[in-house]
Short mmCIF file of all heavy atoms in Angstrom, two decimals:
data_model
loop_
_atom_site.label_atom_id
_atom_site.label_comp_id
_atom_site.label_asym_id
_atom_site.label_seq_id
_atom_site.Cartn_x
_atom_site.Cartn_y
_atom_site.Cartn_z
N PHE A 1 44.56 -153.00 8.19
CA PHE A 1 45.45 -153.80 7.33
C PHE A 1 44.84 -153.91 5.92
O PHE A 1 43.65 -153.99 5.73
CB PHE A 1 45.64 -155.20 7.89
CG PHE A 1 46.47 -155.28 9.16
CD1 PHE A 1 46.70 -154.13 9.94
CD2 PHE A 1 46.93 -156.50 9.62
CE1 PHE A 1 47.48 -154.25 11.08
CE2 PHE A 1 47.67 -156.61 10.74
CZ PHE A 1 47.94 -155.50 11.51
N THR A 2 45.74 -153.98 4.93
CA THR A 2 45.36 -154.19 3.52
C THR A 2 46.24 -155.25 2.90
O THR A 2 47.43 -155.08 2.90
CB THR A 2 45.40 -152.88 2.74
OG1 THR A 2 44.60 -151.86 3.36
CG2 THR A 2 44.95 -153.15 1.34
N ILE A 3 45.61 -156.27 2.35
CA ILE A 3 46.30 -157.34 1.64
C ILE A 3 46.28 -157.05 0.16
O ILE A 3 45.30 -156.56 -0.39
CB ILE A 3 45.76 -158.69 1.99
CG1 ILE A 3 46.62 -159.79 1.42
CG2 ILE A 3 44.35 -158.83 1.50
CD1 ILE A 3 46.20 -161.22 1.87
N SER A 4 47.42 -157.35 -0.55
CA SER A 4 47.46 -157.03 -1.98
C SER A 4 48.58 -157.86 -2.63
O SER A 4 49.33 -158.52 -1.91
CB SER A 4 47.69 -155.59 -2.21
OG SER A 4 48.95 -155.11 -1.76
N ARG A 5 48.68 -157.81 -3.95
CA ARG A 5 49.79 -158.34 -4.68
C ARG A 5 50.09 -157.39 -5.83
O ARG A 5 49.25 -156.59 -6.22
CB ARG A 5 49.47 -159.73 -5.21
CG ARG A 5 48.20 -159.84 -6.04
CD ARG A 5 47.97 -161.19 -6.63
NE ARG A 5 46.56 -161.42 -6.89
CZ ARG A 5 45.73 -162.24 -6.26
NH1 ARG A 5 46.22 -163.02 -5.34
NH2 ARG A 5 44.46 -162.29 -6.57
N ASP A 6 51.31 -157.48 -6.38
CA ASP A 6 51.65 -156.62 -7.47
C ASP A 6 50.97 -157.11 -8.71
O ASP A 6 50.38 -158.19 -8.82
CB ASP A 6 53.15 -156.52 -7.64
CG ASP A 6 53.84 -157.83 -7.99
OD1 ASP A 6 53.11 -158.85 -8.15
OD2 ASP A 6 55.04 -157.84 -8.10
N ASN A 7 51.04 -156.23 -9.78
CA ASN A 7 50.31 -156.56 -10.98
C ASN A 7 50.77 -157.77 -11.68
O ASN A 7 50.04 -158.48 -12.37
CB ASN A 7 50.36 -155.32 -11.97
CG ASN A 7 49.58 -154.17 -11.45
OD1 ASN A 7 48.63 -154.28 -10.72
ND2 ASN A 7 50.00 -152.95 -11.86
N ALA A 8 52.09 -158.07 -11.57
CA ALA A 8 52.71 -159.25 -12.19
C ALA A 8 52.49 -160.49 -11.35
O ALA A 8 52.85 -161.56 -11.80
CB ALA A 8 54.19 -158.98 -12.39
N ARG A 9 51.92 -160.36 -10.20
CA ARG A 9 51.68 -161.42 -9.28
C ARG A 9 52.94 -162.19 -8.88
O ARG A 9 52.96 -163.38 -8.81
CB ARG A 9 50.58 -162.39 -9.87
CG ARG A 9 49.22 -161.77 -10.07
CD ARG A 9 48.18 -162.82 -10.29
NE ARG A 9 46.86 -162.17 -10.30
CZ ARG A 9 45.71 -162.87 -10.17
NH1 ARG A 9 45.76 -164.18 -9.97
NH2 ARG A 9 44.55 -162.21 -10.28
N THR A 10 54.00 -161.41 -8.61
CA THR A 10 55.24 -161.98 -8.17
C THR A 10 55.53 -161.65 -6.70
O THR A 10 56.42 -162.32 -6.10
CB THR A 10 56.38 -161.42 -8.97
OG1 THR A 10 56.44 -160.03 -8.91
CG2 THR A 10 56.24 -161.86 -10.47
N THR A 11 54.77 -160.76 -6.13
CA THR A 11 55.04 -160.41 -4.72
C THR A 11 53.70 -160.13 -4.03
O THR A 11 52.80 -159.48 -4.61
CB THR A 11 55.94 -159.17 -4.55
OG1 THR A 11 57.11 -159.35 -5.33
CG2 THR A 11 56.27 -158.89 -3.09
N ALA A 12 53.52 -160.61 -2.82
CA ALA A 12 52.38 -160.34 -1.97
C ALA A 12 52.74 -159.32 -0.92
O ALA A 12 53.91 -159.21 -0.48
CB ALA A 12 51.82 -161.64 -1.36
N TYR A 13 51.73 -158.58 -0.44
CA TYR A 13 51.96 -157.51 0.53
C TYR A 13 50.89 -157.53 1.64
O TYR A 13 49.79 -158.03 1.39
CB TYR A 13 51.96 -156.12 -0.16
CG TYR A 13 52.96 -155.92 -1.25
CD1 TYR A 13 52.59 -156.08 -2.54
CD2 TYR A 13 54.28 -155.63 -0.95
CE1 TYR A 13 53.49 -155.96 -3.63
CE2 TYR A 13 55.19 -155.48 -1.97
CZ TYR A 13 54.77 -155.61 -3.29
OH TYR A 13 55.73 -155.46 -4.28
N LEU A 14 51.31 -157.00 2.76
CA LEU A 14 50.37 -156.72 3.82
C LEU A 14 50.72 -155.34 4.38
O LEU A 14 51.72 -155.13 5.03
CB LEU A 14 50.40 -157.72 4.96
CG LEU A 14 49.40 -157.51 6.10
CD1 LEU A 14 47.97 -157.77 5.52
CD2 LEU A 14 49.69 -158.43 7.26
N GLU A 15 49.86 -154.34 4.04
CA GLU A 15 50.03 -152.96 4.56
C GLU A 15 49.35 -152.93 5.92
O GLU A 15 48.17 -153.25 6.03
CB GLU A 15 49.39 -151.99 3.62
CG GLU A 15 49.97 -151.96 2.18
CD GLU A 15 51.17 -151.07 2.05
OE1 GLU A 15 51.62 -150.45 3.05
OE2 GLU A 15 51.71 -150.98 0.94
N MET A 16 50.08 -152.45 6.89
CA MET A 16 49.55 -152.34 8.27
C MET A 16 49.69 -150.93 8.74
O MET A 16 50.77 -150.35 8.73
CB MET A 16 50.37 -153.28 9.16
CG MET A 16 50.37 -154.75 8.71
SD MET A 16 51.19 -155.87 9.89
CE MET A 16 52.91 -155.23 9.74
N LYS A 17 48.57 -150.34 9.17
CA LYS A 17 48.60 -148.99 9.67
C LYS A 17 47.88 -149.00 11.05
O LYS A 17 47.22 -149.92 11.41
CB LYS A 17 47.96 -148.05 8.76
CG LYS A 17 46.45 -148.29 8.46
CD LYS A 17 45.86 -147.27 7.56
CE LYS A 17 44.39 -147.49 7.34
NZ LYS A 17 43.81 -146.51 6.38
N ASN A 18 48.17 -147.90 11.82
CA ASN A 18 47.60 -147.77 13.14
C ASN A 18 47.89 -149.06 13.97
O ASN A 18 46.98 -149.61 14.59
CB ASN A 18 46.11 -147.46 13.13
CG ASN A 18 45.57 -147.06 14.45
OD1 ASN A 18 46.29 -146.57 15.31
ND2 ASN A 18 44.26 -147.26 14.66
N LEU A 19 49.11 -149.46 13.94
CA LEU A 19 49.55 -150.67 14.66
C LEU A 19 49.35 -150.55 16.13
O LEU A 19 49.57 -149.45 16.70
CB LEU A 19 50.93 -151.09 14.28
CG LEU A 19 51.13 -151.73 12.94
CD1 LEU A 19 52.55 -151.62 12.46
CD2 LEU A 19 50.64 -153.19 12.96
N LYS A 20 48.95 -151.62 16.73
CA LYS A 20 48.77 -151.64 18.22
C LYS A 20 49.66 -152.67 18.82
O LYS A 20 50.11 -153.59 18.18
CB LYS A 20 47.26 -152.00 18.50
CG LYS A 20 46.23 -151.10 17.83
CD LYS A 20 44.85 -151.62 18.11
CE LYS A 20 43.77 -150.75 17.40
NZ LYS A 20 42.45 -151.28 17.62
N PRO A 21 49.90 -152.56 20.16
CA PRO A 21 50.71 -153.54 20.80
C PRO A 21 50.22 -154.95 20.64
O PRO A 21 51.02 -155.91 20.60
CB PRO A 21 50.71 -153.13 22.27
CG PRO A 21 50.53 -151.65 22.16
CD PRO A 21 49.63 -151.41 21.01
N GLU A 22 48.92 -155.11 20.56
CA GLU A 22 48.29 -156.39 20.31
C GLU A 22 48.66 -157.05 18.99
O GLU A 22 48.42 -158.21 18.81
CB GLU A 22 46.76 -156.34 20.44
CG GLU A 22 46.29 -155.60 21.68
CD GLU A 22 46.07 -154.14 21.40
OE1 GLU A 22 44.97 -153.73 20.98
OE2 GLU A 22 46.98 -153.32 21.70
N ASP A 23 49.19 -156.24 18.08
CA ASP A 23 49.60 -156.73 16.74
C ASP A 23 51.01 -157.37 16.77
O ASP A 23 51.45 -157.97 15.78
CB ASP A 23 49.55 -155.62 15.73
CG ASP A 23 48.18 -155.06 15.49
OD1 ASP A 23 47.25 -155.83 15.41
OD2 ASP A 23 48.07 -153.86 15.41
N THR A 24 51.70 -157.22 17.88
CA THR A 24 53.01 -157.82 18.06
C THR A 24 52.98 -159.30 17.81
O THR A 24 52.23 -159.99 18.51
CB THR A 24 53.63 -157.47 19.43
OG1 THR A 24 53.87 -156.08 19.49
CG2 THR A 24 54.97 -158.19 19.58
N ALA A 25 53.71 -159.81 16.85
CA ALA A 25 53.73 -161.23 16.49
C ALA A 25 54.73 -161.49 15.40
O ALA A 25 55.28 -160.57 14.82
CB ALA A 25 52.32 -161.65 16.04
N VAL A 26 54.98 -162.75 15.14
CA VAL A 26 55.66 -163.14 13.92
C VAL A 26 54.60 -163.33 12.81
O VAL A 26 53.63 -164.02 13.03
CB VAL A 26 56.46 -164.44 14.13
CG1 VAL A 26 57.09 -164.89 12.84
CG2 VAL A 26 57.52 -164.26 15.21
N TYR A 27 54.79 -162.72 11.73
CA TYR A 27 53.84 -162.74 10.62
C TYR A 27 54.30 -163.68 9.55
O TYR A 27 55.48 -163.64 9.12
CB TYR A 27 53.63 -161.32 10.07
CG TYR A 27 52.75 -160.46 10.94
CD1 TYR A 27 53.21 -160.01 12.14
CD2 TYR A 27 51.42 -160.20 10.58
CE1 TYR A 27 52.39 -159.28 12.95
CE2 TYR A 27 50.60 -159.46 11.39
CZ TYR A 27 51.10 -158.95 12.59
OH TYR A 27 50.27 -158.26 13.38
N TYR A 28 53.40 -164.52 9.06
CA TYR A 28 53.72 -165.57 8.07
C TYR A 28 52.85 -165.33 6.84
O TYR A 28 51.66 -165.04 6.87
CB TYR A 28 53.42 -166.98 8.64
CG TYR A 28 54.23 -167.28 9.87
CD1 TYR A 28 53.80 -167.01 11.14
CD2 TYR A 28 55.46 -167.93 9.72
CE1 TYR A 28 54.54 -167.38 12.20
CE2 TYR A 28 56.22 -168.25 10.75
CZ TYR A 28 55.77 -167.99 12.09
OH TYR A 28 56.51 -168.36 13.13
N CYS A 29 53.49 -165.59 5.70
CA CYS A 29 52.88 -165.60 4.39
C CYS A 29 52.55 -166.94 3.88
O CYS A 29 53.44 -167.82 3.96
CB CYS A 29 53.75 -164.76 3.42
SG CYS A 29 53.13 -164.76 1.72
N ASN A 30 51.39 -167.16 3.33
CA ASN A 30 50.94 -168.43 2.77
C ASN A 30 50.54 -168.21 1.35
O ASN A 30 49.60 -167.40 1.09
CB ASN A 30 49.84 -169.07 3.57
CG ASN A 30 49.27 -170.35 2.99
OD1 ASN A 30 48.07 -170.50 3.01
ND2 ASN A 30 50.16 -171.17 2.52
N LEU A 31 51.20 -168.83 0.41
CA LEU A 31 50.85 -168.72 -1.01
C LEU A 31 50.35 -170.10 -1.46
O LEU A 31 51.03 -171.06 -1.31
CB LEU A 31 52.08 -168.31 -1.84
CG LEU A 31 52.77 -167.09 -1.37
CD1 LEU A 31 54.00 -166.80 -2.25
CD2 LEU A 31 51.85 -165.86 -1.36
N TRP A 32 49.15 -170.06 -2.06
CA TRP A 32 48.58 -171.35 -2.38
C TRP A 32 47.57 -171.30 -3.56
O TRP A 32 47.13 -170.18 -3.93
CB TRP A 32 47.83 -171.96 -1.19
CG TRP A 32 46.63 -171.16 -0.77
CD1 TRP A 32 46.59 -170.04 0.03
CD2 TRP A 32 45.27 -171.41 -1.11
NE1 TRP A 32 45.34 -169.63 0.24
CE2 TRP A 32 44.47 -170.44 -0.47
CE3 TRP A 32 44.64 -172.39 -1.86
CZ2 TRP A 32 43.11 -170.40 -0.61
CZ3 TRP A 32 43.24 -172.35 -2.02
CH2 TRP A 32 42.52 -171.36 -1.35
N ASP A 33 47.28 -172.46 -4.11
CA ASP A 33 46.26 -172.54 -5.17
C ASP A 33 45.83 -173.99 -5.22
O ASP A 33 46.67 -174.88 -5.29
CB ASP A 33 46.87 -172.10 -6.53
CG ASP A 33 45.73 -171.96 -7.59
OD1 ASP A 33 45.12 -173.01 -7.93
OD2 ASP A 33 45.53 -170.86 -8.07
N SER A 34 44.52 -174.19 -5.03
CA SER A 34 43.95 -175.50 -5.04
C SER A 34 43.88 -176.16 -6.39
O SER A 34 43.59 -177.39 -6.49
CB SER A 34 42.60 -175.49 -4.34
OG SER A 34 41.66 -174.72 -5.07
N ARG A 35 44.02 -175.44 -7.48
CA ARG A 35 43.83 -175.94 -8.82
C ARG A 35 45.14 -176.35 -9.47
O ARG A 35 45.15 -177.34 -10.19
CB ARG A 35 43.12 -174.90 -9.66
CG ARG A 35 41.70 -174.61 -9.22
CD ARG A 35 41.05 -173.66 -10.20
NE ARG A 35 39.62 -173.43 -9.83
CZ ARG A 35 38.76 -172.73 -10.49
NH1 ARG A 35 39.17 -172.10 -11.58
NH2 ARG A 35 37.50 -172.56 -10.08
N ILE A 36 46.21 -175.59 -9.20
CA ILE A 36 47.52 -175.93 -9.89
C ILE A 36 48.09 -177.28 -9.51
O ILE A 36 48.43 -178.00 -10.44
CB ILE A 36 48.55 -174.79 -9.67
CG1 ILE A 36 47.98 -173.55 -10.43
CG2 ILE A 36 49.90 -175.20 -10.26
CD1 ILE A 36 48.90 -172.32 -10.33
N PRO A 37 48.20 -177.67 -8.24
CA PRO A 37 48.02 -176.96 -6.98
C PRO A 37 49.35 -176.68 -6.29
O PRO A 37 50.38 -177.22 -6.70
CB PRO A 37 47.28 -177.94 -6.12
CG PRO A 37 47.80 -179.25 -6.57
CD PRO A 37 48.23 -179.14 -8.02
N TYR A 38 49.35 -175.82 -5.33
CA TYR A 38 50.53 -175.60 -4.49
C TYR A 38 50.13 -174.96 -3.19
O TYR A 38 49.04 -174.43 -3.03
CB TYR A 38 51.62 -174.66 -5.16
CG TYR A 38 51.17 -173.31 -5.55
CD1 TYR A 38 51.14 -172.27 -4.58
CD2 TYR A 38 50.82 -173.00 -6.86
CE1 TYR A 38 50.73 -170.99 -4.93
CE2 TYR A 38 50.41 -171.73 -7.21
CZ TYR A 38 50.38 -170.75 -6.25
OH TYR A 38 50.00 -169.45 -6.61
N ASP A 39 51.03 -175.04 -2.18
CA ASP A 39 50.79 -174.52 -0.85
C ASP A 39 52.06 -174.32 -0.16
O ASP A 39 52.70 -175.23 0.34
CB ASP A 39 49.90 -175.50 -0.05
CG ASP A 39 49.43 -174.98 1.30
OD1 ASP A 39 49.73 -173.82 1.61
OD2 ASP A 39 48.80 -175.74 2.00
N TYR A 40 52.54 -173.03 -0.12
CA TYR A 40 53.84 -172.71 0.40
C TYR A 40 53.71 -171.69 1.53
O TYR A 40 52.89 -170.82 1.51
CB TYR A 40 54.73 -172.16 -0.68
CG TYR A 40 54.92 -173.08 -1.82
CD1 TYR A 40 54.39 -172.80 -3.07
CD2 TYR A 40 55.67 -174.25 -1.67
CE1 TYR A 40 54.56 -173.64 -4.13
CE2 TYR A 40 55.85 -175.14 -2.76
CZ TYR A 40 55.28 -174.83 -3.98
OH TYR A 40 55.49 -175.70 -5.02
N TRP A 41 54.62 -171.84 2.52
CA TRP A 41 54.66 -170.97 3.71
C TRP A 41 56.04 -170.32 3.83
O TRP A 41 57.03 -170.99 3.59
CB TRP A 41 54.34 -171.76 4.98
CG TRP A 41 52.92 -172.16 5.08
CD1 TRP A 41 52.34 -173.25 4.54
CD2 TRP A 41 51.90 -171.49 5.85
NE1 TRP A 41 50.99 -173.28 4.87
CE2 TRP A 41 50.71 -172.18 5.72
CE3 TRP A 41 51.90 -170.36 6.65
CZ2 TRP A 41 49.51 -171.87 6.32
CZ3 TRP A 41 50.70 -169.96 7.23
CH2 TRP A 41 49.52 -170.73 7.10
N GLY A 42 56.04 -169.13 4.30
CA GLY A 42 57.30 -168.42 4.63
C GLY A 42 57.78 -168.73 6.04
O GLY A 42 57.11 -169.42 6.77
N GLN A 43 58.96 -168.25 6.36
CA GLN A 43 59.56 -168.51 7.66
C GLN A 43 59.12 -167.56 8.73
O GLN A 43 59.38 -167.76 9.92
CB GLN A 43 61.08 -168.51 7.54
CG GLN A 43 61.69 -167.13 7.60
CD GLN A 43 61.40 -166.25 6.40
OE1 GLN A 43 60.97 -166.70 5.36
NE2 GLN A 43 61.61 -164.95 6.54
N GLY A 44 58.50 -166.48 8.33
CA GLY A 44 57.99 -165.48 9.27
C GLY A 44 58.89 -164.25 9.42
O GLY A 44 60.09 -164.35 9.22
N THR A 45 58.27 -163.13 9.73
CA THR A 45 58.96 -161.90 10.01
C THR A 45 58.41 -161.26 11.26
O THR A 45 57.19 -161.23 11.45
CB THR A 45 58.93 -160.90 8.80
OG1 THR A 45 59.77 -159.79 9.07
CG2 THR A 45 57.55 -160.48 8.54
#
């Protein structure tokens, strides 16, 4: 797996390769910053 964001910092990504049955799950994104601050969660995919 590889985590990343675009150059403009508007979208986050998770690249997943060589997936295994054990990877089956609902995946959630968490965007946060302790300084601004904010802490947001997605609904899952």
Side-chain angles (χ1 to χ4, degrees):
F1 289 15
T2 303
I3 188 171
S4 65
R5 56 178 156 246
D6 63 2
N7 291 333
R9 297 197 175 195
T10 58
T11 307
Y13 302 98
L14 184 67
E15 301 273 1
M16 305 183 294
K17 63 180 181 180
N18 192 23
L19 283 161
K20 306 174 181 179
E22 310 92 86
D23 296 317
T24 295
V26 176
Y27 283 72
Y28 298 89
C29 174
N30 175 221
L31 307 178
W32 66 277
D33 190 294
S34 62
R35 294 184 176 183
I36 294 180
Y38 61 80
D39 186 4
Y40 301 112
W41 289 83
Q43 83 292 343
T45 186

